[in-house]
Structure formats: structure tokens, C-alpha cells
Amino acid sequence: MRVDVYVHHMEIGGSQLGALELARETMARGHDVLVLAPPGGALWEVADRFGLDTETLPTHLTWPSPRNMARVVSAVRRTRADVVHAHEWGPAIDVALGTHLLLGTPAVVTTMSMYVSGYIPRHLPLVVGTRQLAEDAEGRGYRQVELLEPPVDTAANAPGVAGGPAARARWGFGPDDVVVAVVCRLTDDLDKTAGVLEAMDVVEQAGPASPVRLLVVGDGPRADAVVARAEKVNAELGRPAVVVAGALDDPRPAYDAADVVIGMGSSVLKGMAFGKPVVVQGERGYWRALDEQSLAIFLGQGWFGAGGAGAPALAAALSPLVRDAGLRAERGAFGHRVVTERYSLAASAERMEQVYRAAAATGRRSPRDLARLGARVAWDVVRGRLRERPARD
């Protein structure tokens, strides 16, 4: 098969890295794959390292983009793609109104967000990451919904593969330090930065004698606020309790250096792949540790949540893990088993291949759905308020 993959951006983040890993695995299964994405971002180097064929699109984070649509149409004609795979809502607009409408090329949309945007056409095959999202999408009239839990490369992400003790030394962590690591894009989206700031509150409240140190890996529009808060906490405690490492092309050393990983989505799954106990973050102060009791909740709603006590909830989840190395080892082993049994990249690529084949065999344009999408996009462009739509519409 010939598959063209449209990634929404190439800045470091779980959804887009997962798209590249899945593209690499699809290529390894004998298919021709072309990755198209906007300019900028460290993941272009990752795509090159993976050996993927790539093409840079003209515009960045602008949807709908007539220039990107035209480039994707040209690429699809050149490659004679059997299917176009759009990742997230913006590329879904460009693909639906571009190659799918103009050329009739079958399309598939994946969203690994915590909600399904109303801009994604309901007639296109939709791939989501949790049972709860799948049920919600089906209830909203999406006609073909596939559940594909966020894949993890459990060979590349495994205990010890990224340096072990050397990774800890990289940031000056000692053997008695309890390192809590978070790898995320520093943005207000899904309250990611709010969670990082709550983690700093917990570190500050633990006091100067606490063994806890926080490692923050990532970049984004709120990076300056994160750095400023870290400097304030460190000055207050009189020690480098918070280390802000910035963006890393390869964040695996951060996971390997950690004693505990906090975060959401694919980031927390990677922490589990490294055998680390994890505390899952969500919106509006949500924090909950993974254990045998909470696993069923996360398998249903995804590695995310909404509503909670904020920093006190995180402190309560971290406290037993900080005190008890044995509990950290027990929870880390449990999470590692969950990832290896349920989130294998190879199994995900096999399932995605089936979705591609079904789309190529049956995919067709739906004039009614495309007309609705076009009208909605045009209306929001005119009013200057085109944005992602999490709400039912």
C-alpha cells in the first residue's frame, strides 16, 4: 500500500511522535509511506533517523491552509496514495476539503487528544485512544470508530536503554535524590503547564530537607513562566530542587533518570515502559497514581482525567512513593507489565494496517458531510474564530 501521513506539527509531543513511530512501523511492514508536516520542530530529525520519506508543508499551525492542501494534493497525485492519514483536527480539515474532496482519495483520521473535535467529518474512519472517546464519538454519529490505544515502542523505551545512572548524573542527581520527572509541551492546552506548576508547589512545600527533585523536560509558549517559577522555588529552598532541562530531541534519558514519572497520555505510558511508577495528570487539578485499583479507570477514560484538588492531590499520590523504594519498584513493575501487554507498537501497526486496507477498499466522499464541514469552517473563518471544537455540535 501507499500511505501519505499528514502530521499536525513536528514539535516534540506524544501525538506527533507516536504518528512517526507508527509510520516507521508501517514502512517496516513493507508499505510505502510519505510523511507531510509543517516546518519547524525537533521531530524532523527523528523522522530522518527513522528513515522516513518526508515533505515539508508551506504553513505552520494554520487550518484550513489552502497552500498545505495544494501541497498534499500534489503529493498524493505523485505518490498515487491509496489512503491519506491525517493526525489531529487541523490536518483532518485540510485532507477532507483537499485530497478527499478533490481526488476522492480515502482518508483516515487519528486523534490522540482527550476529546474529539467537531471539525472532524463524521463519515471518515476515526481512530481514538480510549474506550470512553470511542463510545462518545459513536454517540455523536461517527460511522466508523476504531480504538487504538496510544502505541509505545517497548524496545526503544525500556529500563536502562537511555543511560541509567549516567542519565541521573547528566542533571546532577545523586543516589539519595528521589527524582520526579515530567516530559511535556509547556502549553496551557489540557492544563499541562498548570500541572507542572502544581508539581513545583509540592516540591516547595516539601521543604529544603526533602529528597525530592523535579525534572521538567519540554518547551513551548509557557516555558518562560516555568523557568521563572523554578528559579523562585530553588531560591526559596536554597537548593536546585527543580531542574528545567528544556526540549530534548531524545527525552528517554529523562525517563531513565526518574524515580517517578508524572504526566498524561503517551508521556506517562513511556514512563511505565521504563519501569517507573507513575502519577497521571489531567485538567483542573486532577492527579491519581496508577495501581491495581486505578488501572480500570485509566483503561476506560485514557491516561488523563478532569477535576481534583490540584497540588494537595499530587502530594498525596507522591508521598508514599517518595518514602518507600519498595513500593516504587512494585508499582513500576506493574506499569511495565501493563504497557508491554497492551500497548505494543508492532500490534498497533498491524491494527492500523487493517484500518488502512478497509478505508482503501470502501472509503468514499460524503458530499453532505463535506458540505457541512466546509460551511462550518467558512463561517468560523469569516468570524475570525476558527479553533478546535471539543464540544458536541
Side-chain angles (χ1 to χ4, degrees):
M1 290 186 68
R2 292 176 293 273
V3 182
D4 287 358
V5 178
Y6 185 171
V7 181
H8 59 310
H9 65 78
M10 294 290 265
E11 295 164 6
I12 292 175
S15 175
Q16 49 273 31
L17 179 57
L20 295 182
E21 290 175 336
L22 198 58
R24 179 192 60 186
E25 195 70 18
T26 300
M27 183 178 67
R29 294 177 66 85
H31 303 290
D32 295 326
V33 178
L34 172 67
V35 173
L36 305 110
L43 290 181
W44 283 107
E45 295 181 10
V46 174
D48 289 342
R49 190 166 68 244
F50 285 176
L52 291 164
D53 290 334
T54 60
E55 185 169 331
T56 305
L57 298 174
T59 59
H60 178 66
L61 297 180
T62 300
W63 297 291
S65 169
R67 295 173 66 198
N68 283 2
M69 286 184 201
R71 186 68 62 84
V72 174
V73 166
S74 176
V76 168
R77 281 180 171 146
R78 185 181 70 251
T79 61
R80 295 188 295 172
D82 297 297
V83 64
V84 181
H85 188 173
H87 285 266
E88 305 302 340
W89 70 277
I93 294 175
D94 282 357
V95 167
L97 299 180
T99 57
H100 188 61
L101 176 62
L102 299 176
L103 305 180
T105 308
V108 172
V109 179
T110 286
T111 180
M112 287 297 164
S113 181
M114 302 306 169
Y115 46 76
V116 176
S117 169
Y119 283 120
I120 299 174
R122 284 164 171 74
H123 74 286
L124 295 180
L126 175 66
V127 180
V128 297
T130 73
R131 287 199 302 266
Q132 184 171 304
L133 280 178
E135 292 168 0
D136 178 67
E138 288 171 347
R140 292 167 58 191
Y142 284 87
R143 299 168 200 171
Q144 183 182 343
V145 182
E146 303 289 343
L147 171 61
L148 186 71
E149 293 170 313
V152 178
D153 186 340
T154 52
N157 298 276
V161 303
R168 291 176 69 89
R170 174 176 179 173
W171 289 289
F173 300 137
D176 295 328
D177 290 328
V178 178
V179 179
V180 178
V182 55
V183 180
C184 71
R185 181 151 170 76
L186 300 178
T187 173
D188 289 327
D189 182 42
L190 303 178
D191 286 346
K192 290 178 182 178
T193 299
V196 173
L197 298 178
E198 287 171 355
M200 291 191 201
D201 290 344
V202 171
V203 172
E204 184 177 28
Q205 291 161 11
S210 170
V212 175
R213 299 186 67 184
L214 178 66
L215 174 61
V216 181
V217 173
D219 201 355
R222 295 297 309 281
D224 289 346
V226 169
V227 170
R229 176 68 176 130
E231 291 174 350
K232 184 177 179 181
V233 170
N234 290 341
E236 179 71 23
L237 296 179
R239 64 185 180 92
V242 180
V243 176
V244 181
L248 299 178
D249 292 348
D250 181 1
R252 293 180 300 165
Y255 294 112
D256 227 1
D259 294 290
V260 181
V261 170
I262 63 176
M264 62 179 69
S266 60
S267 178
V268 79
L269 288 171
K270 284 188 171 69
M272 293 159 61
F274 276 87
K276 311 298 181 177
V278 299
V279 180
V280 177
Q281 181 204 349
E283 294 178 307
R284 304 192 306 279
Y286 181 94
W287 295 98
R288 182 159 184 174
L290 169 66
D291 55 25
E292 293 186 0
Q293 287 70 46
S294 61
L295 176 60
I297 294 172
F298 295 129
L299 293 180
Q301 71 186 25
W303 300 90
F304 186 72
L314 176 58
L318 285 176
S319 180
L321 294 170
V322 171
R323 292 195 310 266
D324 191 341
L327 180 62
R328 293 199 298 270
E330 177 185 326
R331 296 246 184 111
F334 174 68
H336 187 261
R337 287 196 303 273
V338 171
V339 165
T340 54
E341 291 172 3
R342 296 187 63 97
Y343 296 90
S344 156
L345 180 60
S348 297
E350 181 178 359
R351 182 72 193 99
M352 198 70 242
E353 182 181 37
Q354 296 171 357
V355 174
Y356 289 153
R357 292 193 182 282
T362 64
R364 61 187 183 276
R365 288 171 289 190
S366 171
R368 178 183 299 176
D369 280 354
L370 290 171
R372 286 175 178 169
L373 174 64
R376 184 163 64 237
V377 169
W379 178 247
D380 279 0
V381 167
V382 168
R383 299 189 64 180
R385 62 181 181 86
L386 180 64
R387 63 188 183 275
E388 192 167 6
R389 292 171 176 250
R392 287 181 171 84
D393 60 351

